[in-house]
Amino acid sequence: MLSSLLQSFVEEVFQEAAKRKFAAIAADEAAFNAYWKQMKGWGNPSEENIRTLFLKLGVPDVFSGLSWKNRATPDVRRKLNELNLLRNQIAHGARGLKLNNQAYSMSLVRATEFRDFALQFGERFEGHVTLLLP
């Protein structure tokens, strides 16, 4: 569920950024809907999928410089990928979860860490994108 929430959030940030970047498309609802239709199905919110999505706006690396206390940019990327990997395993019925080729057990503490990460990501990502695409 957390992955789905992040996916929707990233989509909303992307749509707002696209409207700022492409004013002519933003002014025409049908044109924007056609544009967005081309972006649908960009995938789950892994680091690579998000980076690829924002590359379509001319941003080479949307994560460049995105960090916060105790969470450097490489760690943001890693955490998104971990969440995506676990989401895929759960969604596709994996019998046992694995992370970095090691058995992984989801606990309340680990789920809380992912929740806290998603909260911090949500508080910072939109503003970060706004600075990249004024």
Side-chain angles (χ1 to χ4, degrees):
M1 289 178 59
L2 189 55
S3 178
S4 179
L5 178 66
L6 279 174
Q7 183 174 359
S8 294
F9 171 71
V10 168
E11 286 179 1
E12 288 178 20
V13 171
F14 177 85
Q15 288 177 351
E16 290 305 311
K19 288 175 182 176
R20 285 193 310 275
K21 175 88 173 177
F22 305 121
I25 291 175
D28 181 341
E29 185 177 348
F32 184 80
N33 290 339
Y35 172 77
W36 177 242
K37 186 177 180 181
Q38 300 301 310
M39 303 306 158
K40 288 295 243 182
W42 61 273
N44 296 319
S46 69
E47 179 268 339
E48 181 179 350
N49 288 346
I50 295 171
R51 191 173 32 81
T52 300
L53 180 65
F54 281 85
L55 183 58
K56 293 172 175 45
L57 294 177
V59 178
D61 183 1
V62 73
F63 295 106
S64 181
L66 178 63
S67 63
W68 55 90
K69 184 180 178 184
N70 299 325
R71 186 77 62 185
T73 303
D75 195 38
V76 172
R77 296 174 196 270
R78 181 187 58 77
K79 200 70 170 174
L80 282 167
N81 287 334
E82 286 178 359
L83 180 60
N84 188 60
L85 180 66
L86 292 169
R87 174 256 175 241
N88 288 344
Q89 291 176 60
I90 292 167
H92 297 288
R95 293 274 180 206
L97 298 177
K98 288 192 174 208
L99 197 56
N100 300 320
N101 293 320
Q102 301 288 329
Y104 186 88
S105 177
M106 185 57 74
S107 65
L108 180 58
V109 169
R110 288 177 170 164
T112 301
E113 287 173 3
F114 278 113
R115 181 208 60 201
D116 292 348
F117 166 79
L119 177 64
Q120 294 299 317
F121 181 82
E123 288 180 356
R124 289 166 173 80
F125 186 68
E126 184 175 11
H128 179 73
V129 169
T130 299
L131 291 174
L132 294 174
L133 285 170

